[in-house]
Amino acid sequence: ANQNTVHENIRRKHCRKTKSTSDDANVSSPEDGGQDKFTPEVVHRPGIVALAASIQSSDAFAVPSAVVHTAIGAFSGALGALSAYPFDMIKSQLQTDYGREKYGTSGIAAAADIFQTSGPLGFYRGSILNVAGIIPEKSIKLGMNDFFRMCFIDTSGCLPLAGEVLAGGLSGLCQVVATNPLEVVKVRIQTGDRSTKPSIIEVLQDVGGVTGLYRGAGACAARDVLFSALLFPTFAHAKVAVPIFLASTFGGVEPSQFWCGLVAGSLAAAPAAFLCTPADTVKTRLQQSRDSASEVQDMNALEMARSIIETEGAEVLFSGSFERVVRSIPQFGVTLSLFDVLSTKAVEIGIM
């Protein structure tokens, strides 16, 4: 009975009590048997409910909710990216044609070479730029996902699975405007000659203006749309199931919100990261540091994918898939969990 009570408390945390907004809102409907209705938490984020409420509230804190929401997304995304950056560095080496020839499929060989030539700090080459770029990227990704989830709520107050997938995909598409320039510069730094250590300014001058910063945008969009369409719906459902599973496993003890979010985010990120690897490999090949006379300079994403398949084999599209999964597990586990925890705290102290 004790364990059932814990499960019910967890379930209620992910539900919201809804009442009619008509004139007889306080009267229970006969069709309901005089009982209050409980419907699933359609947005699966405590912060988004508070966002809507604070807009209507005249007693809202002076700082706009949207600003707090954006700051939480930026902070969570930056910490998540920093925690996983060494794996991203190794992944990029394995996805280039040069790295494929030098290391094959061995992430250990790539890691050993980076350590030998650049020391431990070599794993964080370009990380400052990455963290700086992650701030607007994750703010857009998390914020737009919440916004679109609200847009796709149906007339019964529920968010259908198709709406969840579409909301995630659209949020991924929106983030490309910030993601692609970051990816171009980051990949150039990661795949360039490690002995020269080009500065960010030199890389920006070398990419060829705004057009160069959006090189590989098609592949980047394909990756981010698919990734977000898989990540957010899976996370939304996993973070409801994980607390119940953990409570059952540990004898009815209710787990903390952070650890539940960390597990749910990790579970959601792993399959999404693996399935998006082909688009990520094509993107990296298009964006990597090359000689200006290289014949691949004018290729688009489809041409690059065809070239890889014809000359190296289809399996090469999954180069770095293990490293990509290993990187995404801590990155999105930390990012999504922190975002939920901080959103909840912001609601509790009245700034959202």
Side-chain angles (χ1 to χ4, degrees):
N2 224 3
Q3 192 165 316
N4 289 336
T5 302
V6 172
H7 289 179
E8 179 62 17
N9 288 338
I10 292 172
R11 187 189 70 79
R12 284 173 178 260
K13 279 188 176 183
H14 296 282
C15 294
R16 60 186 177 88
K17 198 172 184 179
T18 58
K19 292 181 179 291
S20 170
T21 55
S22 60
D23 293 336
D24 58 345
N26 294 322
V27 180
S28 300
S29 171
E31 290 79 8
D32 302 329
Q35 299 296 318
D36 291 327
K37 292 182 181 178
F38 283 91
T39 59
E41 170 55 47
V42 294
V43 291
H44 296 287
R45 279 196 199 283
I48 203 64
V49 177
L51 259 176
S54 63
I55 292 172
Q56 299 173 354
S57 173
S58 59
D59 300 323
F61 191 74
V63 179
S65 300
V67 174
V68 178
H69 198 258
T70 300
I72 290 173
F75 179 75
S76 303
L79 284 186
L82 195 60
S83 68
Y85 192 80
F87 297 106
D88 187 68
M89 179 68 175
I90 296 169
K91 172 196 71 77
S92 292
Q93 305 305 309
L94 296 177
Q95 289 180 336
T96 63
D97 42 8
Y98 167 79
R100 180 79 182 180
E101 293 174 5
K102 186 173 184 179
Y103 310 120
T105 59
S106 175
I108 294 176
D113 186 53
I114 293 170
F115 184 83
Q116 185 176 8
T117 58
S118 306
L121 292 180
F123 291 102
Y124 286 91
R125 185 181 184 186
S127 61
I128 295 177
L129 171 71
N130 186 59
V131 170
I134 282 290
I135 291 175
E137 176 197 325
K138 288 296 181 285
S139 297
I140 294 171
K141 187 188 195 82
L142 296 168
M144 293 309 293
N145 178 64
D146 281 347
F147 171 75
F148 285 124
R149 288 177 75 91
M150 291 183 69
C151 292
F152 295 133
I153 295 173
D154 61 25
T155 53
S156 66
C158 293
L159 179 63
L161 180 60
E164 294 185 69
V165 172
L166 188 56
L170 288 172
S171 70
L173 183 62
C174 290
Q175 78 172 67
V176 174
V177 67
T179 303
N180 207 80
L182 163 69
E183 290 284 316
V184 168
V185 178
K186 182 191 74 172
V187 170
R188 289 290 183 102
I189 292 175
Q190 288 179 337
T191 61
D193 185 353
R194 287 198 286 271
S195 64
T196 61
K197 296 182 179 179
S199 67
I200 295 174
I201 300 299
E202 290 172 333
V203 172
L204 287 172
Q205 291 173 341
D206 186 54
V207 297
V210 175
T211 304
L213 286 174
Y214 282 93
R215 178 167 179 76
C220 188
R223 180 199 67 175
D224 290 347
V225 168
L226 179 58
F227 183 82
S228 296
L230 295 170
L231 175 74
F232 286 116
T234 306
F235 175 67
H237 292 279
K239 75 174 193 175
V240 176
V242 165
I244 296 174
F245 173 77
L246 292 180
S248 300
T249 303
F250 296 103
V253 178
E254 187 173 342
S256 71
Q257 183 184 3
F258 175 78
W259 290 110
C260 289
L262 186 66
V263 173
S266 299
L267 290 173
F274 177 78
L275 293 171
C276 295
T277 302
D280 190 55
T281 299
V282 172
K283 178 201 70 67
T284 301
R285 290 289 183 96
L286 289 169
Q287 296 174 344
Q288 74 178 81
S289 181
R290 296 181 184 276
D291 187 282
S292 58
S294 174
E295 61 182 14
V296 304
Q297 288 288 351
D298 297 326
M299 283 187 178
N300 59 36
L302 290 177
E303 291 169 341
M304 175 60 76
R306 188 182 303 113
S307 173
I308 292 172
I309 293 171
E310 290 175 353
T311 60
E312 302 175 66
E315 69 279 2
V316 174
L317 291 172
F318 284 90
S319 297
S321 58
F322 175 76
E323 288 73 18
R324 179 168 165 77
V325 169
V326 171
R327 181 210 69 175
S328 297
I329 286 173
Q331 179 178 357
F332 286 94
V334 170
T335 297
L336 294 173
S337 183
L338 268 180
F339 185 79
D340 269 0
V341 169
L342 294 177
S343 294
T344 300
K345 295 298 180 185
V347 171
E348 289 175 355
I349 63 177
I351 61 173
M352 276 185 68

